[in-house]
Amino acid sequence: MPQIPEKIHELSVGQLAARSGAAVSALHFYESRGLISSRRTPGNQRRFSRDTLRRVAFIRAAQRVGIPLATIREALARLPEERTPTRDDWARLSEAWRAELDERIKQLNRLRDHLTDCIGCGCLSLDTCVLSNPDDVFGDRLTGSRLLAEKPRPARGSARPRRS
C-alpha cells in the first residue's frame, strides 16, 4: 500500500482509492450520493482531505454488515460539520443498527430454513409459499399466481388521458 507523507493534506482520487481499497468508481459514487466530498483544483481534479480515508473506511464497514447507503448517509449527516466518524460514533451508530440487522438475520434464517420447499414451485407464487407469501398474507385478498393487484382498466368509452 503506498504511503502518503504526513505533509500532504489532500489526496487525489487515485491515492484515496489505493489507500482505502475502494475503486475510483465507488469513490465517485459515494461523492455523488453525498457520503464524501472533495474540492476541485484549478485543473478540475478532485482533492479529498486526508480524513476522507476514515470516512470511506466507515462507509465500507457499514456496507459489509449490510447497512444501506441511504442509512449510512443519514448517519454521517448527523455528525456535526461533516466531521470524520470516531470510534464512539461507530459504537453509537452500530448499536442503533442492531435491530435492523437482527431482523435481516431472522429473514435470512427463514429463507435458509424454507429454501428447499420452493424447489417444486419455481415461481414462488403458491398460496403457501413461506418466502413470497409468509403466513399467507395475500390469501384473503388474491388468488392464483399473481400477488400484485392489477391496476383497474378504464371503462370502455371513457376518455383516456392524452400522452404528450
Side-chain angles (χ1 to χ4, degrees):
M1 180 178 329
Q3 294 297 315
I4 299 169
E6 287 293 321
K7 64 183 177 193
I8 297 178
H9 298 289
E10 291 185 318
L11 307 173
S12 69
V13 70
Q15 289 170 319
L16 182 60
R19 289 292 305 277
S20 68
V24 169
S25 60
L27 296 172
H28 290 169
F29 182 77
Y30 293 162
E31 187 176 18
S32 74
R33 296 295 187 253
L35 295 160
I36 61 175
S37 61
S38 67
R39 72 168 187 86
R40 296 293 182 136
T41 67
N44 203 30
Q45 295 175 332
R46 288 177 170 88
R47 290 293 183 259
F48 296 90
S49 64
R50 286 180 71 96
D51 64 346
T52 305
L53 277 168
R54 180 173 287 187
R55 207 169 170 89
V56 171
F58 179 92
I59 294 165
R60 291 175 52 113
Q63 281 185 296
R64 274 194 294 280
V65 297
I67 304 301
L69 280 179
T71 303
I72 298 168
R73 182 180 55 243
E74 289 169 11
L76 290 171
R78 283 189 234 124
L79 297 176
E81 299 174 11
E82 293 189 24
R83 73 169 163 76
T84 301
T86 64
R87 183 184 305 259
D88 290 339
D89 292 326
W90 178 259
R92 182 176 38 79
L93 291 168
S94 63
E95 183 63 32
W97 294 333
R98 187 176 195 82
E100 182 181 335
L101 292 173
D102 286 343
E103 180 59 29
R104 198 168 303 147
I105 289 168
K106 181 180 163 186
Q107 291 171 352
L108 286 170
N109 283 332
R110 184 177 190 157
L111 172 63
R112 181 202 59 216
D113 294 345
H114 295 285
L115 190 59
T116 56
D117 297 343
C118 294
I119 297 300
C121 169
C123 69
L124 304 178
S125 61
L126 294 175
D127 291 351
T128 59
C129 181
V130 295
L131 298 178
S132 66
N133 188 15
D135 304 319
D136 195 21
V137 294
F138 295 107
D140 294 333
R141 294 183 287 165
L142 300 169
T143 60
S145 62
R146 288 175 279 133
L147 292 178
L148 299 175
E150 291 182 9
K151 293 180 183 177
R153 292 184 177 159
R156 285 192 163 175
S158 65
R160 288 187 168 176
R162 291 185 176 197
R163 295 180 118 169
S164 46

